[in-house]
Amino acid sequence: MKKLRLKELESRLQQVDGFEKPKLLLEQYPTRPHIAACMLYTIHNTYDDIENKVVADLGCGSGVLSIGTAMLGAGLCVGFDIDEDALEIFNRNVEEFELTNVDMIQCDVSSLSNRMSKSFDTVIMNPPFGTKNNKGTDMVFLKTALEMARTAVYSLHKSSTREEAAVSALSWLASIELEANLSGSW
């Protein structure tokens, strides 16, 4: 497999179709290709947590993180989302890129807690931030991700909730490392 440069990855991710009718209550805001590419490129090249790994993408939406992970050589990436419409877009994107190392499951991420314990090497996500009458959703996603991951969790969060995420992760006995080198925090 040819090693992708950051700009190549970003360029390919710009071709991923986003939401046609975003559902605000589900906080379906797209992960911008630049942020997705920087996040995934760092995970891949700095931490070696993508290539040949089994990766989960929680709240995958239209699949930009899953697709980027697949392009970087994940053994398998499984996207999880509650919304059937989002998964339909995700499926079209996967077919368009002719990816064979991606799968998707429709479910409520909070229902995965304790059901898929340590089933994935790496968990990636851009969770709902909990700003639309669903306060705390990001922490539910984070707790679930920590339960599912054998090695690492990489998650995008609002800068205003980073401290809460850090305190929560520590209370769940996870060690954390904060990065803020993108247009936003992760």
Side-chain angles (χ1 to χ4, degrees):
M1 166 180 259
K2 177 186 172 246
K3 189 168 183 153
L4 283 179
R5 294 187 334 251
L6 176 58
K7 287 294 182 192
E8 288 176 294
L9 179 61
E10 183 177 345
S11 177
R12 289 184 186 184
L13 293 180
Q14 288 172 350
Q15 298 169 36
V16 174
D17 290 336
F19 296 107
E20 294 159 0
K21 296 178 185 171
K23 297 173 183 165
L24 294 182
L25 290 177
L26 294 177
E27 297 189 43
Q28 292 179 329
Y29 305 109
T31 305
R32 293 192 324 258
H34 175 72
I35 290 175
C38 288
M39 176 186 183
L40 296 173
Y41 190 82
T42 301
I43 294 167
H44 178 62
N45 289 294
T46 303
Y47 301 103
D48 194 28
D49 283 333
I50 292 180
E51 191 170 6
N52 299 316
K53 306 287 191 221
V54 179
V55 179
D57 178 3
L58 302 186
C60 61
S62 60
V64 70
L65 292 176
S66 293
I67 289 166
T69 300
M71 290 175 178
L72 290 170
L76 174 66
C77 186
V78 181
F80 295 86
D81 204 288
I82 196 168
D83 184 44
E84 181 179 359
D85 296 331
L87 291 175
E88 192 174 302
I89 298 165
F90 184 164
N91 191 54
R92 284 197 314 262
N93 283 323
V94 168
E95 288 175 357
E96 182 70 28
F97 284 100
E98 299 178 352
L99 298 169
T100 59
N101 55 341
V102 178
D103 203 350
M104 60 203 74
I105 297 173
Q106 183 181 2
C107 68
D108 181 343
V109 166
S110 65
S111 74
L112 297 172
S113 188
N114 296 320
R115 289 186 36 213
M116 301 193 93
S117 181
K118 307 302 179 205
S119 298
F120 294 87
D121 297 307
T122 305
V123 177
I124 57 173
M125 61 183 180
N126 183 6
F129 294 151
T131 60
K132 300 293 181 198
N133 299 319
N134 53 0
K135 185 169 173 44
T137 301
D138 52 343
M139 295 303 113
V140 170
F141 270 66
L142 183 57
K143 188 169 192 334
T144 300
L146 289 168
E147 291 169 357
M148 293 173 69
R150 286 190 286 264
T151 306
V153 172
Y154 299 91
S155 182
L156 296 165
H157 289 272
K158 286 176 41 176
S159 56
S160 64
T161 63
R162 284 173 48 154
E163 189 165 324
E164 178 187 357
V167 169
S168 294
L170 289 172
S171 76
W172 299 320
L173 305 177
S175 62
I176 61 161
E177 188 174 321
L178 297 175
E179 297 265 347
N181 59 353
L182 304 173
S183 305
S185 299
W186 63 282

